[in-house]
Amino acid sequence: LPEDELSRSSHSNPVKSLVNGIKTNPASNSPKSSLSVPMGPPVYVDLAYIPNHCSGKNTDPEFFKRIRASYYVVSGNDAANGEPSRAVLDALLEGKSQWGENLQVTLIPTHDTEVTREWYQQTHEKQQELNIMVLASSSTVVMQDESFPACKIEF
C-alpha cells in the first residue's frame, strides 16, 4: 500500500489483533473475512493436511491456489459437522484448475464417507482433467486389539 493509504487504514481502525502473525479486524466473526493475507507466490509441499478435518470453516479455493501439495490428506468423518465438506473438495478442483501447471495430485481420504464417494463419482472427469488421483484405502493395519485402514506414501 502507498504510505498515505497505509496511514489512513491504520488510523481508521486502530484496534487490531494478531492471528497466526497476521493483523485482523477483531470486529469480524468470520475467519475468512477477517484475515488480511498478503498475496505472494504459491508454496509447494509434498504433503498437506487439509485444515479442520476438511471443514468449510477455514478452507476455500485460495488455500489450494497457495498451498500446492503432491498429496492432500482429508481426515473428516463427521457428517453432522460437515466434515469432510463437499465445498472444500470442490475448492480443491477450483484452486488446482488455476495452477497453470498440471502436476499430479493425490487426495488421501482417511475415512470412506458418503460425501467423498459422491464427490468422487460426480467429479471424476474433472479430477482426471486436472491430474488428481483419489486413493482408496485397501490396506488394514492391526495393532493390539485395534484394526484400521491405512495407506503407505513414498516420496
Side-chain angles (χ1 to χ4, degrees), residues 53-68:
H53 303 287
C54 197
S55 166
K57 297 173 187 168
N58 301 94
T59 308
D60 60 10
E62 189 64 29
F63 173 82
F64 295 105
K65 288 183 214 171
R66 305 270 311 268
I67 308 299
R68 299 181 181 186

Side-chain angles (χ1 to χ4, degrees), residues 65-100:
K65 288 183 214 171
R66 305 270 311 268
I67 308 299
R68 299 181 181 186
S70 297
Y71 299 88
Y72 290 100
V73 176
V74 177
S75 72
N77 190 26
D78 186 356
N81 285 320
E83 299 169 3
S85 165
R86 169 68 189 250
V88 173
L89 297 171
D90 289 339
L92 167 63
L93 298 175
E94 183 181 335
K96 174 106 172 36
S97 71
Q98 297 180 34
W99 285 13

Side-chain angles (χ1 to χ4, degrees), residues 73-128:
V73 176
V74 177
S75 72
N77 190 26
D78 186 356
N81 285 320
E83 299 169 3
S85 165
R86 169 68 189 250
V88 173
L89 297 171
D90 289 339
L92 167 63
L93 298 175
E94 183 181 335
K96 174 106 172 36
S97 71
Q98 297 180 34
W99 285 13
E101 53 193 333
N102 200 15
L103 301 174
Q104 169 73 47
V105 166
T106 303
L107 193 66
I108 306 168
T110 60
H111 296 87
D112 182 22
T113 67
E114 187 69 27
V115 170
T116 53
R117 274 185 303 224
E118 284 181 8
W119 176 83
Y120 176 81
Q121 292 170 353
Q122 293 169 0
T123 65
H124 188 68
E125 191 174 300
K126 183 73 171 175
Q127 294 166 43
Q128 288 180 320

Side-chain angles (χ1 to χ4, degrees), residues 129-147:
E129 176 187 317
L130 293 172
N131 204 14
I132 297 172
M133 181 175 68
V134 179
L135 285 185
S137 182
S138 59
S139 299
T140 302
V141 173
V142 178
M143 293 177 59
Q144 297 171 350
D145 294 330
E146 183 180 9
S147 66

